[in-house]
Amino acid sequence: MKRRTLVGITGVLLSLIFVLQEVGAAGGGDTRVVFLSNRDRLERPGREFDIFLLDLASSKSENLTLQLKGVVVRSNSQPRLNTRRNSVVFLSFNEGAFVELNLGTKQVTKITDVAYEATSYTVSPDGNTLLYIERGDSTRQVFEVDLASGVSRNVTKNRYNNFEASYSPDGKRIVYVCDKDGSNSIAVMSRDGSEQTILTNRFGDDRYPHWSPDGMKIVFSSSRSGATDTEYHLYTIDANGKNFKLFYQSKAYNSSPVFSPDNKYVAFVSNGRGGMHKDIILKELASGLLMPITFELNDANEKFAIGDGGKVIVFENSGPIDSEIMLYDVRSKKMKNLTSGKGRDLAPSFGEGNQVSQ
């Protein structure tokens, strides 16, 4: 596929961006966050959003897309920061395509056409490819696209529904959900699509799989032991299908578990408070201690990302008319509102690969 440059804007902040990268590296991880906001479009009709880049070290934010021509950002554009290529990958809805914004040159390049329902984007650990879900002929399939060439391929290429896929930390394998046995089960395969293997049996709805940092375990959510259809517990299983264990249970819908990069805790979302509340809870792996980090906040707290090697968590605190990006410091146990102001701020993400909740 021939790639096309949509628009180029002089990168007036090129030197600043590289300085911020060095600051992040010195602190043990990249300190930049990308998120969506409509704060600069409140006076305009329509449902458009912009992508913002926020640096935690300087507290400075930049609107990356307001002046761009030829791209349309929506609330489900799901921007992903690719630190390897110093870029942001997202879905542009004017053409239905993945595009890449170079943070140095401010040049936007079309990667590949996709359907509007394309979901679950994940940048590979080496930064060279993007994993995503798109409907094939009649089923959802796992696709991979090379960011340099724009060439995409169907990785799963089977007759079942496959979704919620992510790379292993070494980039050699992929975990995903497959309904081959008549219900959603956790499966793994090699990156080329070979050796597709179902790890869990068909008893229950198994969802939201994520790798441990060493690639040896997978944590996921399931209804298999719940008293009702809305009661989901968390489980772990070795990547070879052995050592299936209950990790956490409560009379709630517990979902989106993610290992921290330092392998000290698993973060997940729970609706245990009832109503419209959703909370982010950490479970320490060494002690088993539970730390509900959002109980002092109202509304829904979800769509989180773990950054700086596991030291901080950013997430979306969303209410009926407003939403903010919050930051929780795991070390100090302090909370900070990163984006207080008008507009809806959504979907924060670091550039640390698979450390983003589904």
Side-chain angles (χ1 to χ4, degrees), residues 87 125 169 172 183 191 209 217 231 286 353:
S87 66
K172 295 180 180 180
S183 63
R191 186 165 175 172
K217 290 184 178 295
E231 189 174 305

Side-chain angles (χ1 to χ4, degrees), residues 13 34 77 82 91 104 130 140 146 165 170 176-177 180 195 204 218-219 274 300 309 311 318 320:
L13 296 179
V34 290
S77 285
N82 188 342
L91 182 62
L130 184 75
R140 287 177 289 174
D146 182 85
D170 62 6
Y176 61 106
V177 175
K180 178 180 178 180
E195 302 181 73
I218 295 164
V219 64
K311 298 179 181 67
S318 180

Side-chain angles (χ1 to χ4, degrees), residues 220 222 224-227 231-235 245-254 268 270 281 283 290:
F220 63 97
S222 178
R224 62 181 56 237
S225 298
E231 189 174 305
Y232 280 60
H233 304 328
L234 303 183
Y235 298 84
K245 294 180 180 179
L246 177 66
F247 181 75
Y248 175 75
Q249 67 177 341
S250 69
K251 294 184 179 300
Y253 185 81
N254 302 292
F268 60 96
S270 178
I281 299 175
K283 181 178 178 180
L290 292 175

Side-chain angles (χ1 to χ4, degrees), residues 134-184:
E134 187 176 12
R135 185 168 293 279
D137 293 333
S138 58
T139 58
R140 287 177 289 174
Q141 300 292 319
V142 179
F143 284 80
E144 183 182 63
V145 59
D146 182 85
L147 297 179
S149 67
V151 176
S152 62
R153 64 187 182 91
N154 185 336
V155 181
T156 40
K157 207 172 183 178
N158 57 39
R159 57 190 179 90
Y160 314 110
N161 284 299
N162 312 273
F163 53 99
E164 292 173 2
S166 63
Y167 293 103
S168 61
D170 62 6
K172 295 180 180 180
R173 293 173 295 169
I174 294 171
V175 66
Y176 61 106
V177 175
C178 180
D179 69 354
K180 178 180 178 180
D181 294 330
S183 63
N184 295 327

Side-chain angles (χ1 to χ4, degrees), residues 11-33:
V12 295
L13 296 179
L14 178 58
S15 60
L16 174 60
I17 287 173
F18 283 111
V19 169
L20 294 180
Q21 283 183 301
E22 292 175 1
V23 172
D30 196 298
T31 61
R32 298 175 299 171
V33 177

Side-chain angles (χ1 to χ4, degrees), residues 106-123:
K106 296 302 188 294
Q107 188 176 78
V108 178
T109 305
K110 179 178 177 179
I111 301 170
T112 189
D113 295 314
V114 291
Y116 285 122
E117 65 266 22
T119 58
S120 301
Y121 328 147
T122 302
V123 176

Side-chain angles (χ1 to χ4, degrees), residues 272-289:
R273 278 202 286 170
M276 298 299 293
H277 291 291
K278 290 183 181 180
D279 288 296
I280 298 171
I281 299 175
L282 312 186
K283 181 178 178 180
E284 292 185 347
L285 296 179
S287 66
L289 179 67

